[in-house]
Amino acid sequence: MATEKSFHMMPDEFRRHGHAVVDWIADYYARIESFPVVSQAEPGQIRASLPADPPLKGEPFPAILADVEKLILPGITHWQSPNFYAFFPSNASGPGILGDLLSSGLGVQGMLWATSPACTELEAHVLDWLVHMLDLPQKFLSTSSGGGVIQDTASSASLCALLAAREQATNFASNARGCDGKLVAYTSSQAHSSLEKGAQIAGIGKDNLRSIEVDENFAMRPEPLARQIEQDLRAGLVPFFVCATVGTTSSNAIDPVAEIGRICRENSLWLHVDAAMSGTAAVCPEFRHMHAGLEHADSYCFNPHKWMFTNFDCDCFFVADRKALIQTLSVLPEYLRNKATETGAVIDYRDWQIPLGRRFRSLKLWFVIRHYGVEGLQHHIRQHVALAQNFAGWVKQDDRFELAAPAPLNLVCFRLLSGDHKNQELMDRLNRSGDLYLTHTRLNDRMALRFCVGQTNTEARHVARAWKRIQEEAQKMR
């Protein structure tokens, strides 16, 4: 009797092809510096290289992997290149990739404790580790009144904080009836754009998100914040939320959390602290001063997928009072009811986030922390900061350039003195060359180039070569 045909990949095939994929990834990292950092593909080029119709019959796996090399790789901007200095990094590492592979292999949907206890309990435990590793307030521990949860990005974390603050301010009535247009939130003019999007999604409205002016270092000024809150109160509005930033995207500015926190406490406002990029630096005791005042915060987040060698996506979001977050986001249909939830003795992370479903993301973070250890993480963070500081020193020594902002950690904002047009030309020439990748911002209405040292494998030789290339291109433009 003929056996029934199966179209699945059998375990032996998976083992063989899996080895091939791991070999390909290892080879990719070994040769990553040979590729232009920025993809040289033209718009539509990748799609034009793909077949118009899907295959009727399955294709052999080696052919699929070969097409990754031939068709996909030309369209990749190499975020893991040691010559990637743009945006903020989205770095990865061997242990993180392997942890993510294991997560994919297990295929857990960890919406409830009951759907995989290890998924929930490992996450709670690893995030408690991070409270100790970063010396965060003890109220963020799961063994206290709060706790941590892994979100996809800091954007989602800020939205969850905004929603919890909204419900706390309205005694959980706005979940039922919607917003009345009186709630007002505050952040600095340098805060991440996700706050504006969050205000729109949460029904606050972007017109009710106040942009507070910054000082000469591009950090939020507490006095204008206090005045704006007072003005809104007099107008019959309801101030309810402030987001302070520890490491802004434009310039890595650090808002004065302690002073902002006191204003929030005096006015019963929820304080969220966004440390998406810079939070990882607090693994090193000498950088923890940036968290001064964090005891005032109701919520806090940082992204291990930016600077803690944990591949995207992985944002760690902490709350001081988990009950407020859970009450805000909990919806319990009959099909999710179970005995473990009804005991009240377990965490159901579905109530801590926007989507119902969730992946086993804590595995890759657990792998990274265990592989590097605290000492290993500290070593590489310190190395990146030192390399950035060396770069800032070279900028100051070249009379064609100036620093556009202070460089407290691993981001250097700099510019040619010859104006925006020349800075744009310099950045375009460098990025077209494929030798490195820079992005820009505007500070005091002037263009500045951003040079962020945070990629996993960036070493002194890469930073030195980048500065040499910057000087060479600047010389050609004279």
Side-chain angles (χ1 to χ4, degrees):
M1 182 176 179
T3 58
E4 183 178 348
K5 179 177 175 59
S6 173
F7 293 89
H8 295 306
M9 184 181 286
M10 295 294 103
D12 284 346
E13 291 179 291
F14 175 78
R15 180 178 291 107
R16 185 170 68 254
H17 300 322
H19 287 163
V21 170
V22 170
D23 284 344
W24 189 94
I25 294 171
D27 289 343
Y28 169 70
Y29 275 90
R31 61 191 170 121
I32 196 168
E33 292 184 55
S34 69
F35 300 113
V37 183
V38 182
S39 170
Q40 307 295 298
E42 297 294 331
Q45 175 183 327
I46 305 305
R47 290 199 66 177
S49 70
L50 301 172
D53 299 307
L56 178 62
K57 295 183 179 296
E59 300 179 54
F61 190 85
I64 300 171
L65 190 57
D67 277 349
V68 171
E69 181 83 24
K70 177 183 176 183
L71 306 179
I72 301 303
L73 209 52
I76 295 295
T77 286
H78 299 279
W79 282 74
Q80 305 312 314
S81 169
N83 299 307
F84 186 102
Y85 305 104
F87 304 106
F88 280 144
S90 180
N91 63 19
S93 66
I97 294 167
L98 293 174
D100 218 16
L101 175 62
L102 188 58
S103 174
S104 295
L106 290 170
V108 165
Q109 210 285 47
M111 57 187 173
L112 300 166
W113 178 90
T115 59
S116 276
C119 181
T120 295
E121 295 193 16
L122 181 65
E123 186 163 332
H125 197 72
V126 169
L127 269 76
D128 280 355
W129 274 3
L130 287 167
V131 171
H132 298 303
M133 288 169 60
L134 275 63
D135 195 27
L136 302 179
Q138 299 294 291
K139 63 185 178 181
F140 290 143
L141 289 168
S142 65
T143 53
S144 182
S145 59
V149 58
I150 297 178
Q151 306 279 356
D152 52 6
T153 61
S155 299
S156 292
S158 296
L159 176 57
C160 288
L162 194 65
L163 292 169
R166 183 193 73 185
E167 293 311 302
Q168 182 172 276
T170 62
N171 197 25
F172 298 91
S174 53
N175 258 351
R177 66 170 184 249
C179 296
D180 58 9
K182 291 187 176 181
L183 292 172
V184 185
Y186 307 83
T187 193
S188 90
S189 60
Q190 295 292 304
H192 194 268
S193 59
S194 62
L195 272 298
E196 182 177 338
K197 182 180 285 190
Q200 295 175 181
I201 295 170
I204 306 304
K206 63 180 181 181
D207 289 346
N208 282 345
L209 178 65
R210 304 286 190 254
S211 179
I212 305 301
E213 64 187 81
V214 295
D215 62 19
E216 66 279 3
N217 294 328
F218 306 102
M220 187 194 297
R221 295 182 58 203
E223 298 83 1
L225 171 65
R227 286 197 300 270
Q228 186 64 61
I229 292 170
E230 183 180 352
Q231 180 180 326
D232 288 333
L233 286 168
R234 287 199 304 267
L237 300 174
V238 182
F240 79 105
F241 175 89
V242 175
C243 179
T245 307
V246 173
T248 59
T249 300
S250 278
S251 67
N252 226 357
I254 298 171
D255 289 345
V257 176
E259 295 174 68
I260 294 168
R262 283 192 287 271
I263 294 169
C264 290
R265 296 286 75 80
E266 290 167 3
N267 293 278
S268 299
L269 274 65
W270 182 294
L271 174 61
H272 175 62
V273 176
D274 176 1
M277 172 63 197
S278 297
T280 295
V283 171
C284 303
E286 65 268 30
F287 300 131
R288 290 176 185 162
H289 58 84
M290 67 183 183
H291 280 159
L294 198 56
E295 67 274 9
H296 296 298
D298 297 283
S299 55
Y300 169 88
C301 74
F302 84 105
N303 289 347
H305 69 231
K306 278 190 167 66
W307 200 15
M308 199 181 272
F309 317 122
T310 305
N311 36 306
F312 190 85
D313 55 358
C314 184
D315 167 88
C316 294
F317 175 52
F318 298 89
V319 290
D321 177 12
R322 60 179 174 267
K323 290 182 180 177
L325 180 66
I326 292 169
Q327 189 172 344
T328 297
L329 297 176
S330 181
V331 177
L332 185 58
E334 185 62 33
Y335 52 80
L336 292 179
R337 294 184 184 276
N338 63 90
K339 290 181 179 180
T341 296
E342 289 169 2
T343 66
V346 301
I347 290 174
D348 286 332
Y349 274 132
R350 69 181 182 87
D351 296 329
W352 295 53
Q353 61 176 27
I354 304 301
L356 173 63
R358 57 197 334 274
R359 296 183 294 110
F360 201 166
R361 284 180 291 220
S362 60
L363 268 178
K364 60 187 175 186
L365 187 54
W366 189 49
F367 274 37
V368 166
I369 294 171
R370 292 188 64 185
H371 172 84
Y372 284 95
V374 174
E375 288 183 348
L377 294 172
Q378 289 173 337
H379 168 80
H380 289 289
I381 297 306
R382 286 171 176 145
Q383 185 179 55
H384 287 164
V385 173
L387 292 176
Q389 296 304 310
N390 287 342
F391 182 88
W394 298 334
V395 170
K396 287 190 284 189
Q397 292 167 10
D398 191 319
D399 59 11
R400 295 171 296 178
F401 293 91
E402 68 175 358
L403 293 179
L409 292 170
N410 64 326
L411 174 66
V412 181
C413 294
F414 70 106
R415 61 167 72 97
L416 282 167
L417 295 171
S418 46
D420 286 0
H421 176 74
K422 288 293 186 181
N423 280 286
Q424 183 70 56
E425 182 183 352
L426 175 61
M427 185 177 71
D428 290 344
R429 291 170 69 106
L430 290 164
N431 290 346
R432 280 198 304 268
S433 76
D435 293 335
L436 67 157
Y437 186 20
L438 301 179
T439 48
H440 77 285
T441 188
R442 296 195 72 82
L443 298 170
N444 290 332
D445 202 31
R446 295 175 62 195
M447 184 175 178
L449 307 184
R450 300 170 67 264
F451 188 93
C452 186
V453 182
Q455 209 16 274
T456 304
N457 297 306
T458 299
E459 299 174 356
R461 65 182 177 89
H462 300 109
V463 176
R465 181 172 179 269
W467 175 239
K468 183 173 183 290
R469 290 291 296 113
I470 291 167
Q471 289 183 304
E472 288 172 350
E473 292 301 325
Q475 183 65 31
K476 293 175 185 177
M477 290 163 46
R478 298 188 75 169

